[in-house]
Amino acid sequence: KVYDIDGLNVTMPHKETIMPYLSGLDVSAEKAGAVNTISKDLVGFNTDTAGVEAMFSGVSLQGKSVLILGAGGAARAAAVYLKEAGAEISILNRTYEKAEVLAKFCGGKAVSSADEKYDAVILASPVSPLPPEKILRKGMFAADMNYLHSDFLDSAERLGCRTVSGKTMLIAQAARSFQIWMKSAADSSAMNDAFGDDS
């Protein structure tokens, strides 16, 4: 059956593997090396970077040390934004070799522990590669790209971190996807109301 659709979203683990099957890539997808939004004419976009930007709104990143947890498509989008914002990036992933690949991609460094004192951390994986208590420190900025409430954010709040949940990212990237598909701005307030409480 053939469906008449205006576009679709792609989620992990297909954000990178979908790319060879598309008719083209927007600059956002080329920069991120991953696709999460596809237009009707099968052009790939990455709106996750818009979501990451929303998460770090009001946070100065120039010269700040940021730890990315994960090395998949979402982590690549985070790395693109953080690099352009002037952050010093470290990557911690369960598979060190994948962390090295992402570190090379963004000019950061792969690490196997969270012993350094980071200014911010972003969880870009369904599960943290280390227990939150081994990563988080009081006063740091902690962002979780997962839009459902998580133990990671619970731990961050308990340890005195400034936090932002993946709800912020989800709405911002969805609004950008809507704009690509419908050629008009989305009502982010309505999206926020529809999402409801993320606690």
Side-chain angles (χ1 to χ4, degrees), residues 164-178:
V164 61
S165 77
K167 174 182 176 180
T168 298
M169 175 177 176
L170 180 71
I171 291 171
Q173 68 86 11
R176 175 68 184 118
S177 294
F178 182 94

Side-chain angles (χ1 to χ4, degrees), residues 6-185:
D6 291 305
L8 61 139
N9 274 137
V10 180
T11 190
M12 63 180 86
H14 305 298
K15 292 183 179 184
E16 295 165 77
T17 56
I18 191 68
M19 294 171 72
Y21 302 99
L22 303 175
S23 64
L25 298 174
D26 175 73
V27 65
S28 62
E30 289 178 346
K31 277 186 178 181
V35 165
N36 77 315
T37 299
I38 301 172
S39 64
K40 189 168 188 172
D41 53 355
L42 297 182
V43 173
F45 295 77
N46 191 298
T47 69
D48 283 340
T49 48
V52 176
E53 181 178 5
M55 294 184 89
F56 283 92
S57 177
V59 178
S60 174
L61 292 168
Q62 183 66 44
K64 302 292 186 181
S65 60
V66 182
L67 178 65
I68 299 175
L69 303 173
R76 288 175 77 88
V80 167
Y81 173 74
L82 294 170
K83 180 180 180 180
E84 291 183 349
E88 297 174 2
I89 304 168
S90 297
I91 316 291
L92 176 61
N93 191 59
R94 284 174 289 178
T95 307
Y96 185 77
E97 291 74 19
K98 289 183 179 178
E100 287 183 308
V101 171
L102 181 54
K104 185 176 180 181
F105 168 77
C106 69
K109 64 180 179 179
V111 297
S112 55
S113 67
D115 295 334
E116 291 185 35
K117 198 170 184 179
Y118 297 100
D119 297 303
V121 59
I122 181 165
L123 178 60
S125 173
V127 180
S128 176
L130 289 176
E133 292 76 12
K134 295 195 174 197
I135 300 166
L136 301 165
R137 292 176 178 84
K138 184 176 181 179
M140 75 188 307
F141 183 81
D144 186 348
M145 294 174 85
N146 298 296
Y147 60 85
L148 297 176
H149 190 79
S150 70
D151 293 337
F152 182 82
L153 277 191
D154 278 344
S155 298
E157 289 166 3
R158 188 171 62 252
L159 292 169
C161 301
R162 294 179 296 145
T163 62
V164 61
S165 77
K167 174 182 176 180
T168 298
M169 175 177 176
L170 180 71
I171 291 171
Q173 68 86 11
R176 175 68 184 118
S177 294
F178 182 94
Q179 185 179 35
I180 290 166
W181 298 326
M182 302 300 161
K183 313 296 187 215
S184 62

